[in-house]
Amino acid sequence: MLSSASAVSTALGAVEVAGTLAFAVSGLIVAANKRLDPVGVCVIAGITAFGGGTLRDVLLDRRPFFWVERAGWLWIVLGLCIAAMLVLRARHLAPTRRALLWPDALGMGLFTANGAQIALDLGMPALVCVLMGVVTAVFGGVLRDVLCNDVPSAFSDHQPYALCAFAGGWVLLGAHALDAPVWLALAAATTAAAALRIVSVYAGIALPPWKVDEGPPK
Amino acid sequence: MLSSASAVSTALGAVEVAGTLAFAVSGLIVAANKRLDPVGVCVIAGITAFGGGTLRDVLLDRRPFFWVERAGWLWIVLGLCIAAMLVLRARHLAPTRRALLWPDALGMGLFTANGAQIALDLGMPALVCVLMGVVTAVFGGVLRDVLCNDVPSAFSDHQPYALCAFAGGWVLLGAHALDAPVWLALAAATTAAAALRIVSVYAGIALPPWKVDEGPPK
Amino acid sequence: MLSSASAVSTALGAVEVAGTLAFAVSGLIVAANKRLDPVGVCVIAGITAFGGGTLRDVLLDRRPFFWVERAGWLWIVLGLCIAAMLVLRARHLAPTRRALLWPDALGMGLFTANGAQIALDLGMPALVCVLMGVVTAVFGGVLRDVLCNDVPSAFSDHQPYALCAFAGGWVLLGAHALDAPVWLALAAATTAAAALRIVSVYAGIALPPWKVDEGPPK
């Protein structure tokens, strides 16, 4: 039992780390496109990577944070940013962004599963668990866009992103309702959310526009 | 005594709920005007409705959140958004916004009274109680505007709003200083804040402009 | 021993207060330049002054906040704003901003030392202590810029600011590693961060631009 619990805990940790790096690179690219200075690029990359999980932990009153327990990961993100600033040029940004689709989708799926599982372990109601998965997966990017003075792309680009996380969260809850082992529930939720995201990007699925025939300016 | 405490607690709960729906609709309208996608509209509506109370609870280190204890309300706000997206059109937005003056003012008054009362129960100093009322009433809208990439209208439209909440908070403290029962203090504060808001809108009262004869661009 | 601990605690308190006022004025100036209304100016000044320390305390799960324990300081900041609105005019803003370089740099140094020391007392890892110093010193200004709908100047003006705080944090940790008394570690860190800031402004030192030869618009 103990070793199984500890294996799940290790798996949760590994999962959190893998998504973190993909998110850091996405923050780095947005900040570079905004012409932020090197300090700003590092801060935005770090907040994109750790912001969603941190906000979840603040909302759930959970301490210490992931990045306090394993402060080594802060160094890795910092090193990643400095390395990127030395080698990346503008002509690399768009291809890097495209290359990020898969790791970003996987990270989103992993964060969703992880965030929802943590809330479930704390005995939260079903919808709150799913929303904590969405917060973990999406709000790093939301904080990135707010700090870069953009409307968050997750709320405005009409591509399914938070919606995939939302669906993935329900897959996790469904798996638990069917008494699946934790690792299977996590894997199913991660796969579902990531697959939905990748399929919807390749298939060009767009959220329906909000039907405002001719809206008055606010 | 117990039944009185429980009646007050029920009244506080009902009060929080009524304001919540008016705030959700205001978030929905701003997000729709900004052409956010359906996911963004739901998220902004939810954050406008629950953001002020959530921020207050984070600052006061109070758990579980209102919306965790009564997760059903999250479903109601979600349902409200979906219904609104199906029936609302652009030509409805401006009239809906005007129609919101009364429920929004009442919600603001209710949130102010509720937030200040909660801080008072935790033994906070007077000014902190009043500020917690203001945070509860105003910061849902502030988060809405920040996420929609606007300067918060509460800080820039020169209409008294946070100021009405501030005054209402002092009414609550005054009523307690006069040993009024809790329900009366809550009712007086709610009425005072809401009435100030409604009167100032109808009377066209504006905050004095900040006297910058000719300001250099920052 | 006790009196020494209490002297350090008093010194920490005085330090927090001195920086607070310089930060409040900086918030006031930015908000006035943005033509916010008087309520907005007061709120932005308050958030600039107390936001960094509040965010640090939320992240460290530390209560009560500085401004709850000493609510008198909220009144002082409020009085400062009202006085400033009565006497300041646009032609005063730019000179006031220049005059702020020294108190702002000192405040930044003090907040850095204070924030890092608090995290150290809670047993945080070294890098987390330094980051808490940076958060305390920098995020009041970041919140100010986000609420005023600007890209945070700390991340985009290519002047060393967060970097000076970062260096100051390491000075504090270095002093502790050398078994320096707490007051000396605090003084060294404050001086180092403030001196770095002042020297870099006078010497016109700029952070290297992020090398994006010709970046595609995002």
Side-chain angles (χ1 to χ4, degrees):
Chain A
M1 284 305 283
L2 194 70
S3 78
S4 156
S6 127
V8 166
S9 154
T10 307
L12 274 177
V15 147
E16 200 149 20
V17 153
T20 297
L21 292 184
F23 279 34
V25 177
S26 108
L28 196 146
I29 290 178
V30 172
N33 268 324
K34 276 272 174 177
R35 300 287 187 273
L36 264 53
D37 62 33
V39 169
V41 169
C42 291
V43 172
I44 300 290
I47 287 178
T48 311
F50 298 111
T54 301
L55 180 58
R56 175 202 64 213
D57 285 353
V58 166
L59 291 176
L60 294 175
D61 208 11
R62 204 164 152 268
R63 300 287 189 297
F65 294 125
F66 165 74
W67 45 270
V68 167
E69 278 184 308
R70 268 160 286 189
W73 280 99
L74 294 174
W75 285 111
I76 291 177
V77 167
L78 193 58
L80 178 80
C81 290
I82 293 172
M85 282 190 271
L86 295 177
V87 303
L88 272 187
R89 291 293 173 274
R91 64 178 182 280
H92 302 137
L93 293 180
T96 308
R97 175 173 277 257
R98 275 193 302 275
L100 272 184
L101 169 63
W102 280 77
D104 182 79
L106 200 62
M108 182 272 282
L110 296 165
F111 276 40
T112 300
N114 195 15
Q117 180 67 43
I118 285 170
L120 195 64
D121 290 343
L122 292 172
M124 295 287 146
L127 180 56
V128 173
C129 292
V130 172
L131 290 181
M132 286 299 140
V134 174
V135 164
T136 312
V138 174
F139 271 75
V142 169
L143 289 173
R144 173 198 69 204
D145 293 340
V146 166
L147 288 171
C148 288
N149 206 13
D150 286 327
V151 174
S153 65
F155 300 159
S156 56
D157 69 358
H158 288 80
Q159 289 187 353
Y161 192 88
L163 210 56
C164 304
F166 193 74
W170 287 110
V171 168
L172 185 101
L173 289 181
H176 280 293
L178 298 171
D179 279 325
V182 172
W183 68 265
L184 184 59
L186 287 171
T190 302
T191 311
L196 277 173
R197 168 70 179 163
I198 289 169
V199 166
S200 70
V201 169
Y202 278 115
I205 292 172
L207 296 175
W210 172 232
K211 294 216 191 73
V212 266
D213 9 72
E214 65 275 6
K218 190 187 132 226
Chain B
M1 284 309 281
L2 194 70
S3 78
S4 156
S6 126
V8 167
S9 153
T10 307
L12 273 178
V15 149
E16 201 149 18
V17 153
T20 298
L21 292 184
F23 279 33
V25 175
S26 108
L28 195 146
I29 291 177
V30 172
N33 268 323
K34 276 272 173 176
R35 302 287 187 274
L36 264 55
D37 62 34
V39 169
V41 169
C42 291
V43 172
I44 300 290
I47 288 176
T48 310
F50 297 110
T54 301
L55 180 58
R56 176 202 63 213
D57 285 353
V58 166
L59 291 175
L60 294 174
D61 207 12
R62 204 165 153 268
R63 300 287 190 295
F65 293 124
F66 165 75
W67 44 270
V68 167
E69 279 185 305
R70 268 160 285 188
W73 280 99
L74 294 174
W75 285 112
I76 291 176
V77 167
L78 192 59
L80 178 80
C81 290
I82 293 173
M85 281 190 274
L86 296 177
V87 304
L88 272 187
R89 290 294 173 273
R91 66 179 180 279
H92 302 136
L93 293 181
T96 307
R97 174 174 277 256
R98 274 193 301 275
L100 272 185
L101 169 62
W102 279 77
D104 182 79
L106 199 63
M108 182 270 282
L110 296 165
F111 276 41
T112 300
N114 195 16
Q117 180 67 45
I118 285 170
L120 195 65
D121 290 342
L122 293 171
M124 295 287 147
L127 181 56
V128 173
C129 292
V130 173
L131 290 181
M132 286 300 141
V134 174
V135 164
T136 311
V138 174
F139 271 75
V142 170
L143 289 173
R144 171 198 70 203
D145 292 339
V146 166
L147 289 171
C148 288
N149 206 15
D150 286 326
V151 175
S153 65
F155 301 159
S156 57
D157 68 359
H158 288 80
Q159 291 187 352
Y161 191 88
L163 210 55
C164 303
F166 193 75
W170 287 111
V171 169
L172 184 99
L173 289 180
H176 280 292
L178 297 173
D179 279 326
V182 173
W183 69 265
L184 183 59
L186 288 172
T190 301
T191 310
L196 278 173
R197 169 69 179 162
I198 288 169
V199 166
S200 70
V201 169
Y202 278 116
I205 293 172
L207 296 175
W210 173 233
K211 294 217 192 73
V212 266
D213 9 72
E214 64 275 8
K218 194 185 128 230
Chain C
M1 284 307 281
L2 194 70
S3 78
S4 154
S6 127
V8 167
S9 153
T10 307
L12 274 176
V15 148
E16 200 148 20
V17 153
T20 298
L21 292 184
F23 279 33
V25 176
S26 108
L28 196 147
I29 291 177
V30 172
N33 268 322
K34 276 273 174 176
R35 301 287 187 274
L36 264 55
D37 61 33
V39 169
V41 169
C42 291
V43 172
I44 300 291
I47 288 176
T48 311
F50 299 109
T54 302
L55 180 58
R56 175 204 63 212
D57 285 352
V58 166
L59 292 176
L60 294 175
D61 207 12
R62 204 166 153 266
R63 300 288 190 294
F65 293 124
F66 165 74
W67 45 268
V68 167
E69 279 185 307
R70 269 160 285 187
W73 280 99
L74 294 174
W75 285 111
I76 291 176
V77 167
L78 193 58
L80 179 80
C81 290
I82 292 172
M85 282 190 272
L86 295 177
V87 304
L88 272 187
R89 291 294 173 274
R91 64 179 182 280
H92 302 136
L93 293 181
T96 307
R97 174 173 277 256
R98 275 193 301 275
L100 272 184
L101 169 63
W102 279 77
D104 182 78
L106 200 62
M108 181 270 281
L110 296 164
F111 276 41
T112 300
N114 196 15
Q117 181 66 43
I118 285 170
L120 195 64
D121 290 342
L122 292 172
M124 296 286 145
L127 181 56
V128 173
C129 292
V130 173
L131 290 181
M132 286 298 140
V134 175
V135 164
T136 312
V138 176
F139 271 75
V142 170
L143 289 173
R144 173 198 68 204
D145 293 340
V146 166
L147 288 172
C148 288
N149 206 16
D150 286 326
V151 174
S153 64
F155 302 160
S156 56
D157 68 0
H158 288 81
Q159 290 187 353
Y161 192 88
L163 210 56
C164 304
F166 193 74
W170 287 111
V171 168
L172 184 101
L173 289 180
H176 280 292
L178 297 172
D179 279 325
V182 172
W183 68 265
L184 185 58
L186 288 171
T190 301
T191 311
L196 278 173
R197 169 69 179 164
I198 288 170
V199 166
S200 70
V201 169
Y202 278 116
I205 293 171
L207 297 174
W210 172 235
K211 296 221 190 71
V212 266
D213 9 73
E214 66 275 8
K218 193 188 129 226

